[in-house]
Amino acid sequence: MITMEPLPGIRIRRLRLAGMDRAYEVDFTSDHQVRSLSVIAGAFSSGKTAVLEFIAYGLGAKRHPRHQEVMRKVRSCLLEVELSGEPHVIERSVGEPSKVAFVRRGTLDSKPAPRAESRPIDPPGAPQSLSSLLLSHCKLEGVQLREAPTNSESRTDPLSFRDLMWLAFLPNERVADKNFLFENDFMRKHKLRQVVDVTFGVHDDRAIELGQRIQELSGRLNRAKAELAAARAFVEEQAPRALGDGSSPLVHEQELADITTQLQELDRRAQAGTDFAVRLRQEHKLAAQRSSRAAAVLRDCETQVARLMPLRAQYADDLLKLGMLGEAQQLFDPLSVTACPACLNRLPAPPTADTGRCSLCSHDLTDVSGVLTLGGADSAGQAPDNRVDVAAEIRSTKARLKEITSYIDDLGASLSALKLQAEDAAVLEEEAAATLDAATSPSVSPFLAARDDLHRRREQVLRQLDQAESAVKLQEGLAKRADTVERHETQIARLREELARLGDATHDRDRVIAKISARYGELLRAWRYPKVSTPFIKTDLTPFVRGEPYQEASSGARTLLTLAWQLAVFEIAVEEGAAHPGFLMIDSPQKNLGHGGTLDAVIADAIAIDDFYHHLSVWLADRGTRAQLIVADNSPPLTAEGSVVVRFSRNEDLPPYGLIDDETSAEEESAEV
């Protein structure tokens, strides 16, 4: 295998779907190097296609898979890629398709950058969009596609990386489809041809288009230089140390770790040096406990006295009220009737009831006799229990008041003793603490001084670390702007070289189509296509075989024809150094050949899938790092076993069950219920 330096382009390293509790990952590397061929194997509906669709989503696709297990478990999609050989991580949220992607340098396992770069998904032609970033690594940044190529005044649209993905991703629905080249959509078919022409640099009006791209990139270069100059001026004014050889944050982090270790060792030595005072510590602990208990008892006693004093006052007030009630009864009960209520003349004698009748009104009074007082007859008919026994209430209240007064007096008498006990316990605690300090101070003092010194050093190192990290952030910002300037300068130089060596576009396009057509026929013969004759690709990119367009072939035959077309374009693009991303994803290469759909018995019997994988392995062996193929296949042959990066079983006893490996069939059914 030939080892070559990574060329401009994109390589897929790892896919990670991050959830609330865990992550789900597929790795396309081996020994930290991108595999040239990666096979995702497994049963139907296990997540193979979802892997490819999430990769496309990470590269700017509008939608991502929305299976129930995905929506329940996944929160973000992280795609680790190589952009022109340098690892980057692209992150997009999962749920509602995100309109922004966050891009940072490094790998999924490396320390995150201070701040990821935010890149909008739309519009794709914006200089800061994700599409512009990806196209810049495919040598296609700033390309404009003319809506009507024959009209020089036709409106143009910027090339999107989503358009370029037509040449880098063959989804299941396009395999063997009769509208493989978007024949049912004129604009998409027209744009596909433009994408192929742009990729191989054989499109019409190349000189005009290159001039426009150079002009556009020159404007971006001038703006990037202005931003770089302004950033440098700001750094020179605000933080001149950032432009010098400032110390690395790693140095300060290591020094901080050393200080932390020294503090821990110092604490250990201080503890060991004062072990002899264990008895004194125990005595101080007991004295503190006694002092705490004495203070608690004193507080309880004072609280009870404070609560009983209002109660005693209430009882004294009740006695006063009862005395007033007794005096009222003595004052008002003897009042008698001495005047006639009708004429108000004085009666000769008070009313009586000696004969069973009231002498005043002759009303029958059965239970009253003798002289009648005011209300006496009515009161006599009531039960004795309804009248308040003032004397009994006074005796009861006096007894309770006496008890409360006696208890308060006892508490008051004990307060002085409790205060003395609490004070004595506090003094004993202070003496125990002083004794402990006196015994341990000579041993602890050196450690305290050393600890204070280490803390001062630690604060100083923290300040230096903060300054170093700020300087690194400033340097990263300057480096990013400088890289942008360098990238634009390189692109402009390359475009000018391409403009200088331009040939005839029609002749060049015919040459490229001829190469693709020849490779298309070679692939069909290598795969033992039945009765293959006159295979070629027409100038409008339509594949033919046996003199008929691909739509006329059977379902299994169309599978081989669409695979051969896609691979032919990819292989020639890689070999020619064209502006292709450098990777190709194929979903279900055995469609209609025995796995899914309608089985084409003639093709399935004649074709061995081993030939497909054999060709891939032979061709990739000569490409080094210039090409990457990712294939999702239900049952790849044994010859491709070494290229299988993951195999989904849909069997709980053979993990992984699927892409979301902790979502099994039982869990899915219960969730649906």
Side-chain angles (χ1 to χ4, degrees):
M1 181 179 292
I2 300 174
T3 303
M4 304 182 67
E5 290 296 323
L7 297 178
I10 302 170
R11 303 294 179 270
I12 311 302
R13 292 181 58 87
R14 282 193 293 173
L15 171 69
R16 177 179 294 174
L17 303 180
M20 297 294 291
D21 304 320
R22 53 161 300 182
Y24 311 90
E25 187 168 314
V26 181
D27 192 347
F28 301 99
T29 64
S30 177
D31 296 329
H32 305 291
Q33 298 296 322
V34 176
R35 290 172 174 264
S36 57
L37 176 61
S38 300
V39 179
I40 306 167
F44 293 104
S45 301
S46 58
K48 302 185 304 301
T49 297
V51 173
L52 304 185
E53 291 176 344
F54 267 118
I55 292 174
Y57 180 67
L59 295 174
K62 290 186 176 181
R63 294 179 59 81
H64 61 72
R66 300 184 66 83
H67 309 304
Q68 291 184 1
E69 62 272 18
V70 169
M71 302 303 288
R72 281 197 298 266
K73 295 285 188 177
V74 181
R75 294 296 175 267
S76 64
C77 168
L78 295 94
L79 184 65
E80 181 183 326
V81 296
E82 286 184 4
L83 302 181
S84 299
E86 185 176 357
H88 288 71
V89 174
I90 303 173
E91 181 175 1
R92 294 184 68 184
S93 62
V94 171
E96 288 301 320
S98 69
K99 300 187 181 300
V100 174
F102 296 94
V103 183
R104 62 175 173 86
R105 296 176 184 268
T107 66
L108 287 171
D109 297 328
S110 61
K111 183 179 180 181
R115 190 176 72 88
E117 185 180 8
S118 174
R119 292 228 171 220
I121 303 301
D122 291 312
Q128 296 302 317
S129 68
L130 177 64
S131 177
S132 294
L133 173 67
L134 299 177
L135 289 175
S136 69
H137 291 279
C138 301
K139 304 179 292 186
L140 291 174
E141 184 179 11
V143 171
Q144 297 288 324
L145 302 180
R146 195 184 302 276
E147 292 185 358
T150 58
N151 183 1
S152 60
E153 298 181 359
S154 171
R155 192 165 61 92
T156 60
D157 291 323
L159 174 68
S160 168
F161 190 79
R162 288 195 290 266
D163 302 331
L164 191 61
M165 281 293 287
W166 290 336
L167 306 183
F169 181 23
L170 181 58
N172 179 283
E173 58 268 19
R174 286 187 64 203
V175 176
D177 185 45
K178 289 188 176 183
N179 292 303
F180 171 68
L181 298 177
F182 309 120
E183 285 85 353
N184 58 344
D185 188 334
F186 172 78
M187 291 305 299
R188 294 183 76 186
K189 179 182 179 180
H190 166 64
K191 181 173 283 190
L192 175 61
R193 174 175 174 173
Q194 288 182 308
V195 169
V196 173
D197 291 350
V198 165
T199 299
F200 288 95
V202 294
H203 53 295
D204 298 324
D205 296 333
R206 285 185 299 167
I208 298 176
E209 192 270 337
L210 287 175
Q212 291 175 345
R213 288 174 63 187
I214 291 173
Q215 184 178 3
E216 171 66 20
L217 290 176
S218 296
R220 295 185 184 183
L221 175 61
N222 292 333
R223 290 192 294 272
K225 285 182 176 179
E227 291 178 0
L228 178 60
R232 282 178 173 167
F234 173 79
V235 172
E236 289 176 354
E237 180 180 352
Q238 301 295 330
R241 286 185 56 191
L243 297 176
D245 297 329
S247 56
S248 170
L250 295 176
V251 176
H252 299 299
E253 289 176 357
Q254 182 60 44
E255 188 175 358
L256 190 62
D258 293 340
I259 292 175
T260 302
T261 303
Q262 293 179 36
L263 282 170
Q264 293 173 349
E265 177 63 20
L266 195 63
D267 291 340
R268 187 192 64 79
R269 290 170 55 196
Q271 182 65 32
T274 57
D275 284 344
F276 67 90
V278 172
R279 181 182 58 81
L280 294 177
R281 290 196 188 95
Q282 187 64 28
E283 291 179 356
H284 174 259
K285 181 179 179 181
L286 294 174
Q289 291 175 349
R290 286 193 293 266
S291 176
S292 177
R293 285 196 298 269
V297 172
L298 177 61
R299 283 195 304 272
D300 290 343
C301 185
E302 291 175 341
T303 301
Q304 290 185 19
V305 170
R307 291 177 177 177
L308 289 174
M309 291 297 288
L311 183 59
R312 185 174 67 173
Q314 182 178 350
Y315 275 113
D317 188 51
D318 290 345
L319 278 178
L320 179 61
K321 292 177 181 178
L322 288 171
M324 293 176 64
L325 179 59
E327 293 175 356
Q329 289 180 350
Q330 293 176 3
L331 178 63
F332 294 106
D333 282 348
L335 291 179
S336 303
V337 178
T338 58
C340 176
C343 64
L344 300 180
N345 290 316
R346 189 172 185 84
L347 297 174
T352 61
D354 291 340
T355 61
R357 288 178 178 273
C358 175
S359 63
L360 187 63
C361 66
S362 301
H363 187 78
D364 290 334
L365 298 175
T366 56
D367 297 329
V368 181
S369 61
V371 178
L372 292 175
T373 59
L374 182 64
D378 182 65
S379 300
Q382 295 181 357
D385 294 340
N386 289 339
R387 302 189 65 185
V388 178
D389 190 348
V390 177
E393 288 294 333
I394 290 176
R395 289 193 299 272
S396 175
T397 302
K398 284 183 176 180
R400 288 194 291 270
L401 178 60
K402 182 178 180 181
E403 292 176 358
I404 291 174
T405 302
S406 175
Y407 186 66
I408 291 176
D409 292 341
D410 292 341
L411 288 177
S414 63
L415 273 177
S416 58
L418 292 176
K419 288 181 180 179
L420 290 176
Q421 291 177 7
E423 292 173 357
D424 292 342
V427 170
L428 291 175
E429 182 188 2
E430 293 177 0
E431 292 177 351
T435 303
L436 179 61
D437 291 341
T440 57
S441 179
S443 300
V444 173
S445 295
F447 295 110
L448 294 177
R451 187 179 180 84
D452 291 341
D453 181 62
L454 285 175
H455 276 292
R456 284 192 296 270
R457 286 178 54 196
R458 185 174 183 275
E459 292 298 324
Q460 181 180 1
V461 171
L462 285 173
R463 287 194 298 271
Q464 293 173 348
L465 176 61
D466 183 63
Q467 294 173 357
E469 289 178 345
S470 299
V472 167
K473 292 179 182 179
L474 292 173
Q475 290 172 350
E476 287 178 350
L478 293 177
K480 175 185 171 183
R481 289 172 171 80
D483 289 344
T484 302
V485 170
E486 183 180 358
R487 177 165 55 85
H488 288 328
E489 290 176 341
T490 302
Q491 290 173 340
I492 291 173
R494 181 184 56 77
L495 291 175
R496 285 174 176 164
E497 291 177 1
E498 186 177 345
L499 183 62
R501 62 172 184 267
L502 275 182
D504 180 67
T506 302
H507 174 74
D508 290 344
R509 188 175 192 278
D510 292 341
R511 179 183 58 82
V512 169
I513 296 297
K515 281 190 174 184
I516 296 174
S517 181
R519 182 61 53 85
Y520 166 76
E522 293 172 7
L523 290 172
L524 292 180
R525 294 184 184 93
W527 297 343
R528 294 179 288 167
Y529 188 93
K531 300 178 183 179
V532 62
S533 63
T534 61
F536 70 95
I537 293 179
K538 198 176 177 181
T539 55
D540 65 355
L541 302 180
T542 302
F544 278 72
V545 70
R546 301 177 187 174
E548 299 287 345
Y550 75 100
Q551 292 98 332
E552 302 301 324
S554 64
S555 59
R558 286 199 305 273
T559 297
L560 296 178
L561 297 178
T562 52
L563 287 174
W565 187 97
Q566 195 83 27
L567 274 173
V569 173
F570 173 67
E571 292 179 4
I572 298 301
V574 171
E575 294 171 5
E576 292 282 318
H580 192 281
F583 72 89
L584 174 62
M585 300 188 297
I586 299 177
D587 188 10
S588 305
Q590 299 191 62
K591 183 178 180 180
N592 300 330
L593 301 179
H595 296 278
T598 302
L599 174 63
D600 190 327
V602 175
I603 295 297
D605 290 343
I607 301 301
I609 194 64
D610 300 59
D611 297 331
F612 172 78
Y613 283 100
H614 175 71
H615 168 77
L616 295 184
S617 60
V618 171
W619 183 79
L620 288 170
D622 297 330
R623 304 283 84 79
T625 57
R626 289 184 296 170
Q628 180 188 18
L629 268 158
I630 301 175
V631 181
D633 196 355
N634 290 79
S635 55
L638 292 177
T639 54
E641 191 65 28
S643 299
V644 175
V645 295
V646 64
R647 186 183 299 275
F648 302 132
S649 67
R650 284 194 66 84
N651 186 340
E652 298 178 26
D653 298 327
L654 295 175
Y657 182 87
L659 175 59
I660 311 300
D661 54 26
D662 56 351
E663 282 277 345
T664 62
S665 57
E667 292 173 342
E668 292 171 2
E669 291 173 2
S670 64
E672 292 174 0
V673 173

